[in-house]
Amino acid sequence: MSATRVNSPDASIHNGKEGHDLEKAKSDDDNIDIYDPNRPRFNFSRRIAHFTWAWFTLSMSTGGLALLIYAQPHQFSGLRQIGFAVYIANIIIFAGIVVAMMMRFVLHKGTFTTSITHSREAFFVPTIFLAIATIITGTQRYAISEGSTSSVWLISALFWGYVVASLFVAIAQYSYVFKTHDLGLHTMMPTWILPIFPIMLSGTIASVIAETQPQMNAVPIIVAGLTCQGLGLSVAFMMYAHMVGRLMSRGMPNREHRAGLFMNVGPPAFTALAVIGMANGIPDNFDINMGMILDMTVIRPIAVVAAIFLWALSLWWFGIAVVSVILSPPQYFHLNWWAMAFPNTGFILATISIGNELQHEVIRWLATGMSICLVLTYCFVLFSLVRAVIAQDIMYPGRDEDVLDGTDT
């Protein structure tokens, strides 16, 4: 079954700054009004054709929640056990999504090629790597015991494999988009950042695993992580320029897509988290006279200063996204609602790291309060997801990320 032609990139923006009504659309699949509450219901075989890559946002958000639970500055008895249960749940969710995606590709021939070349759905392909990143870091936190040499080498191998794969995705996907799609800047959406997100999280993974690696492994991992984090943040900054230009010239996105603005919170937040973690992961006995320009004793304070600098940018984007959603809340559930969870997880983790480095209890309690809000947000989005699946508001022709638009070639 081919994807459904409903929306174009222009449908994700307003006609001017004041239009807030959801665009009315009909699906070419039996000419169905996709917003009609009495529209026909389809069986599982037909609906699985619309099970998109964006479902991996559920896995990466669940994995992020497990990491957030582990990092809480105020622990109580049983909290780590809860985090471990969430980590296991994420692995099960990830496996389930992979199986469902395979069913889609097997039952509906041609959907794999269509999905990875689609002008909208293809931008969600990198979310599978973000989900894998949370599994790798979660494994380090919850499943690797101290002194396990084989596990240490396994995590190191997974890191290097992830770096290679995510770098390939970042280059290949953007190259394909540059070559085949004609996307106007007025259609700019935060999902354009997603192909660079996985390589950027290499730095976050490095910040988690470096402290348990032997020195011969830790230093190359930190250098690679810093390199990848710098690449990701640099590309994100270029995307930010387009995003701000689009917001200034065309206003906020359609209300159904505004939750995606929280994606902008992620890059500086995860970078702040990564630079502190990588600085702390540098071996204490590392020889500072190995041709290093900077004295190792000043790297950690510089990392904290840089993290605070980047945290402020995340705060600004967070505020923009919150105001945008409050002014015009979405009417229907979309998988981009998970942008309210995963990027904000990085924001809170960065807050925790800064509070720990400054030994500031007020910041730690602020992070605890933010964590509670995120748990509530996660539960709300999860409930909305389950309800949308049951009501066939998603996994339905024209209601998912596989809609075709005028930029497909």
Side-chain angles (χ1 to χ4, degrees):
M1 179 183 293
S2 61
T4 306
R5 180 178 297 276
V6 177
N7 301 328
S8 69
D10 293 312
S12 69
I13 60 173
H14 300 305
N15 293 323
K17 291 179 180 274
E18 301 300 326
H20 298 286
D21 292 334
L22 177 70
E23 65 274 10
K24 296 298 181 183
K26 285 184 178 293
S27 166
D28 285 346
D29 196 337
D30 299 334
N31 199 33
I32 299 167
D33 183 349
I34 61 175
Y35 300 116
D36 182 358
N38 298 316
R39 63 187 182 277
R41 297 178 68 85
F42 294 141
N43 59 29
F44 176 79
S45 176
R46 195 168 183 182
R47 293 181 66 196
I48 198 67
H50 304 285
F51 192 92
T52 67
W53 292 96
W55 271 84
F56 283 104
T57 56
L58 166 60
S59 177
M60 70 187 197
S61 297
T62 305
L65 180 61
L67 294 172
L68 182 62
I69 292 173
Y70 185 93
Q72 282 305 296
H74 303 102
Q75 296 282 329
F76 59 82
S77 178
L79 184 59
R80 289 285 172 84
Q81 287 71 24
I82 294 174
F84 179 74
V86 176
Y87 161 72
I88 295 299
N90 181 42
I91 295 176
I92 296 172
I93 290 170
F94 180 84
I97 295 173
V98 169
V99 170
M101 291 295 292
M102 293 176 64
M103 291 177 62
R104 173 195 180 189
F105 300 145
V106 170
L107 294 176
H108 301 275
K109 305 297 183 183
T111 52
F112 174 74
T113 302
T114 301
S115 70
I116 63 174
T117 58
H118 193 277
S119 62
R120 182 176 175 184
E121 182 183 359
F123 280 110
F124 287 93
V125 173
T127 58
I128 186 176
F129 292 94
L130 299 179
I132 291 172
T134 65
I135 291 175
I136 294 174
T137 50
T139 300
Q140 173 67 54
R141 292 303 195 199
Y142 289 105
I144 302 298
S145 58
E146 293 185 15
S148 176
T149 305
S150 59
S151 298
V152 167
W153 282 97
L154 173 61
I155 288 294
S156 177
L158 289 175
F159 169 79
W160 289 111
Y162 179 88
V163 168
V164 172
S166 58
L167 179 60
F168 172 80
V169 169
I171 295 174
Q173 186 163 10
Y174 278 126
S175 296
Y176 180 82
V177 171
F178 298 158
K179 179 179 182 296
T180 61
H181 293 308
D182 183 16
L183 301 173
L185 289 182
H186 63 287
T187 69
M188 167 69 181
M189 293 295 288
T191 50
W192 292 13
I193 299 176
L194 283 176
I196 204 65
F197 228 120
I199 190 67
M200 180 172 59
L201 283 197
S202 297
T204 307
I205 298 174
S207 70
V208 172
I209 70 174
E211 60 186 14
T212 62
Q213 295 286 320
Q215 181 171 321
M216 62 179 295
N217 288 352
V219 174
I221 285 174
I222 291 173
V223 171
L226 182 62
T227 302
C228 294
Q229 197 75 38
L231 170 62
L233 185 64
S234 298
V235 174
F237 278 160
M238 289 187 282
M239 292 295 181
Y240 283 163
H242 294 310
M243 189 73 241
V244 172
R246 175 248 193 275
L247 294 174
M248 294 286 286
S249 63
R250 302 302 292 263
M252 293 292 185
N254 182 280
R255 67 185 183 187
E256 299 303 312
H257 304 293
R258 292 192 179 193
L261 289 173
F262 283 101
M263 294 184 195
N264 293 319
V265 176
F270 280 107
T271 302
L273 172 66
V275 294
I276 290 178
M278 286 187 285
N280 290 334
I282 297 174
D284 292 332
N285 61 347
F286 186 67
D287 186 357
I288 65 174
N289 297 316
M290 294 179 61
M292 302 292 289
I293 298 176
L294 293 176
D295 191 318
M296 300 301 295
T297 58
V298 303
I299 288 183
R300 288 171 183 167
I302 290 176
V304 176
V305 172
I308 295 173
F309 182 91
L310 293 167
W311 184 91
L313 178 58
S314 287
L315 176 64
W316 183 76
W317 276 118
F318 176 81
I320 295 294
V322 169
V323 170
S324 173
V325 172
I326 290 176
L327 288 177
S328 189
Q331 182 176 354
Y332 302 99
F333 176 82
H334 299 278
L335 288 169
N336 66 11
W337 284 23
W338 286 113
M340 294 188 290
F342 183 72
N344 292 332
T345 298
F347 184 43
I348 300 171
L349 286 170
T351 305
I352 293 172
S353 293
I354 292 172
N356 289 339
E357 293 301 312
L358 298 178
Q359 295 292 304
H360 201 293
E361 196 62 20
V362 173
I363 297 177
R364 289 170 173 167
W365 277 112
L366 173 64
T368 299
M370 294 167 67
S371 300
I372 294 172
C373 292
L374 188 128
V375 170
L376 295 176
T377 300
Y378 178 92
C379 293
F380 169 73
V381 177
L382 181 61
F383 171 78
S384 300
L385 170 61
V386 173
R387 184 176 60 181
V389 171
I390 295 173
Q392 298 201 7
D393 285 339
I394 60 173
M395 293 179 65
Y396 194 91
R399 297 295 293 265
D400 300 275
E401 293 72 26
D402 61 338
V403 292
L404 292 175
D405 56 52
T407 63
D408 288 293
T409 58

